[in-house]
Every structure is written in structure tokens, then in C-alpha cells.
Amino acid sequence: MEVRAGKDVPIEIGNALPLASIPLGSTVHNIELTLGKGGQLARAAGTYAQIIAKEGDFVTLKLPSNEVRLVYKECYATLGQVGNVDAINTCLGKAGRSRWLGKRPKVRGVVQNPIDHPHGGGEGRSPIGRAKPVTPWGKPALGIKTRKTKKASSKYILRGRTK
């Protein structure tokens, strides 16, 4: 099987085409957001996005996060689903295997010293000592939306992702 990219390539799994050339309902991955920049969406193992609609210069996609968004129709996407679907089922088994992947241990703020974290200090197992949890730099954590409300690309998001 030969994988090709271009405007006139056949509609087969693995080929990359502009979104305008891909039929409705197809699953795609490795989708460009900016023309010529390269794929940015649906690239993780086993993921895919679905083409829902085509209107004017834009194509509506349902992303793996359940977000529904518009993408420019000339942007390229690869047909099919990303491989290694079972990656999510991998059990690392021990801390060392996680370290091989470059992940460092997470130390909870509550067990640190007050100089290192706002949650730190106190005698024994003490509560946070604040109304709401915060990051090590004092910004609100857990459940606070961090996306800028006036971000330019917000107009292309038809339905936000769901938790």
C-alpha cells in the first residue's frame, strides 16, 4: 500500500487530502489548523476526528474531546484513525518505567514547606488553610477556566469540549 498526499489522490486510508476533498462522515487524523503548518489535531494514539458538515470556506469537525469546531477547507488531513489503539491500556507497572518516559515524581503541595507552596506547612496532616486550592504561584487551581475569553480563534469553536 502506497501512502500519498495531494489534491487528486484517491480516497484511501493513509492518504492526505484537503478537507474539502474528503467525504462527509469520514474519520480523519493529523489535521492542519493553519494551511501549510502541518497537522496539529487528532495525533495521539488511537484518536480520530469526524467530518460533520461543509459550509462555505470551512469544514465542521467533531474532535476526540467532543469539541465541534470549524477548520479551513484547504487544510490537509489524513484519512483514517491513528494506530496503536491499545496504547491507553498499557500499564506502566512501576515508577521506574514512568521515569524512562521522562516523567518526574509529583510532590503534593500539602507535604511541602510553606516557603515552597501555599498549601505547605502546619503540624501533621493539616488542611490547605485557604478557601480554594491554588498553584505553587498562588493562582486558582482545579476547575477554573484558563482559556482567554477574547481569543481570536474562539469564533471557530461551535461547541466546547465536555468534561
Side-chain angles (χ1 to χ4, degrees), residues 49-104:
Q50 195 164 20
I51 297 178
I52 297 174
K54 296 179 186 182
E55 242 182 278
D57 282 344
F58 291 94
V59 172
T60 309
L61 293 174
K62 185 177 184 216
L63 302 176
S65 62
N66 282 334
E67 179 177 296
V68 176
R69 100 172 258 141
L70 297 172
V71 179
Y72 184 55
K73 68 177 182 182
E74 294 302 318
C75 289
Y76 273 68
T78 308
L79 280 156
Q81 182 178 5
V82 184
N84 198 14
V85 181
D86 282 339
I88 197 166
N89 300 325
T90 305
C91 178
L92 295 179
K94 59 179 187 175
R97 192 160 167 201
S98 186
R99 294 303 303 269
W100 301 338
L101 300 174
K103 293 178 184 167
R104 302 204 65 230

Side-chain angles (χ1 to χ4, degrees), residues 98-157:
S98 186
R99 294 303 303 269
W100 301 338
L101 300 174
K103 293 178 184 167
R104 302 204 65 230
K106 289 187 176 81
V107 180
R108 294 171 298 129
V110 192
V111 298
Q112 295 178 24
N113 291 321
I115 194 75
D116 301 317
H117 200 286
H119 297 174
E123 297 291 324
R125 290 187 176 169
S126 48
I128 288 171
R130 284 171 166 244
K132 289 186 177 153
V134 290
T135 67
W137 304 276
K139 298 269 170 58
L142 300 180
I144 307 295
K145 291 193 184 291
T146 56
R147 185 180 168 93
K148 290 179 184 175
T149 50
K150 294 180 180 177
K151 192 166 181 173
S153 63
S154 290
K155 62 184 176 185
Y156 300 118
I157 298 170

